[in-house]
Amino acid sequence: MNVKMETFAEGLNRLVKYHGNKVALIDEKSMISLTYKNIEHKIDQCISYLIDKGLKKGGTFQAILPNSIEMIILFLSAAKGGFKFAPCGDDLTDQEILTYNKITNAKLVIHSDKNNLSNIFSKDVKIHAINLNSKFDWLQGIKNNLKATDGNLYIMTSGTTGNPKAIVLSLNKLWASTNYFNKNYSSINHESVFWNYLPMSYLGGLFNL
């Protein structure tokens, strides 16, 4: 039997329709909160931002950031915009960052303004710094209409060999598995609150969200 899988974009529309004005995210440091409507708007703004920076549909961008609302919005923008998302913690060495970049072939790098990465990458990699103040002052209007499609998530692992490699996950399938998880735990509902402390460069940290 074929069952149609809800995509992330469809799920986001559903959440906005029924819970649009409810708080969806709270930044622990600033205590700034975003509703589901806010998140939808930030995602569309972020998709426009990524396209303006030269990223094409199916293209890969690397985010070198600590846990933050900005990291979450970039992740969700990949899911709706059809991009490939390669998250990195900002505590990695230059060599680790470069190795990750080469494995994923990311041509766009987003990092916080505290990092100086200009001497790490080759000239064909575009580097852009953003402020991590939960205000999203680096985003502008929604300029590009990109049809929602499936994105991918790169998660780095050394596996059993010790050699770095990337696991590639469909973000629509990750969304579907999360929905299935929720349906099997009756204690989880739209009033539940999750506190995430796992690194967002790790699958568990993003799956929780």
Side-chain angles (χ1 to χ4, degrees):
M1 179 177 68
N2 293 325
V3 179
K4 184 180 183 299
M5 181 178 68
E6 181 188 65
T7 66
F8 168 74
E10 292 169 342
L12 180 62
N13 288 337
R14 172 173 53 80
L15 290 170
V16 171
K17 180 179 179 180
Y18 293 107
H19 309 292
N21 293 320
K22 291 188 175 182
V23 173
L25 287 173
I26 302 173
D27 179 72
E28 184 181 25
K29 293 181 179 179
S30 67
M31 294 307 293
I32 290 176
S33 62
L34 298 178
T35 65
Y36 287 100
K37 283 184 179 179
N38 294 149
I39 288 176
E40 181 183 46
H41 184 69
K42 295 301 181 190
I43 288 172
D44 289 341
Q45 284 183 298
C46 193
I47 290 173
S48 295
Y49 170 85
L50 293 170
I51 293 174
D52 285 345
K53 298 306 179 187
L55 194 64
K56 300 184 184 303
K57 182 178 177 180
T60 304
F61 70 99
Q62 184 178 10
I64 307 170
L65 300 170
N67 280 13
S68 58
I69 284 186
E70 289 81 2
M71 180 73 108
I72 298 172
I73 295 299
L74 286 165
F75 167 57
L76 298 179
S77 298
K80 183 176 180 180
F83 306 121
K84 296 174 182 177
F85 179 58
C88 283
D90 65 347
D91 56 347
L92 299 182
T93 66
D94 290 354
Q95 185 57 52
E96 287 172 327
I97 291 172
L98 182 59
T99 298
Y100 195 1
N101 182 268
K102 289 181 177 179
I103 290 174
T104 59
N105 196 32
K107 298 303 181 184
L108 175 64
V109 172
I110 308 296
H111 67 101
S112 65
D113 53 8
K114 75 172 187 176
N115 298 114
N116 182 12
L117 305 175
S118 58
N119 297 323
I120 298 178
F121 302 103
S122 59
K123 294 182 179 180
D124 63 331
V125 177
K126 297 180 179 179
I127 307 171
H128 294 278
I130 63 173
N131 294 321
L132 300 181
N133 54 15
S134 302
K135 297 179 180 179
F136 294 93
D137 46 13
W138 45 281
L139 294 180
Q140 302 298 321
I142 301 170
K143 303 176 183 178
N144 300 282
N145 294 318
L146 184 65
K147 185 178 180 181
T149 183
D150 193 14
N152 291 110
L153 170 66
Y154 284 108
I155 293 294
M156 292 302 294
T157 175
S158 60
T160 58
T161 64
N163 296 320
K165 59 182 70 70
I167 299 173
V168 185
L169 300 171
S170 159
L171 290 175
N172 278 342
K173 290 181 179 178
L174 187 62
W175 173 257
S177 67
T178 304
N179 285 333
Y180 183 79
F181 177 88
N182 290 341
K183 289 177 181 178
N184 284 273
Y185 286 85
S186 58
S187 60
I188 298 177
N189 56 50
H190 64 276
E191 298 294 341
S192 300
V193 178
F194 287 87
W195 175 54
N196 181 71
Y197 63 91
L198 292 172
M200 294 177 193
S201 55
Y202 166 68
L203 177 58
L206 291 172
F207 187 80
N208 283 351
L209 299 169

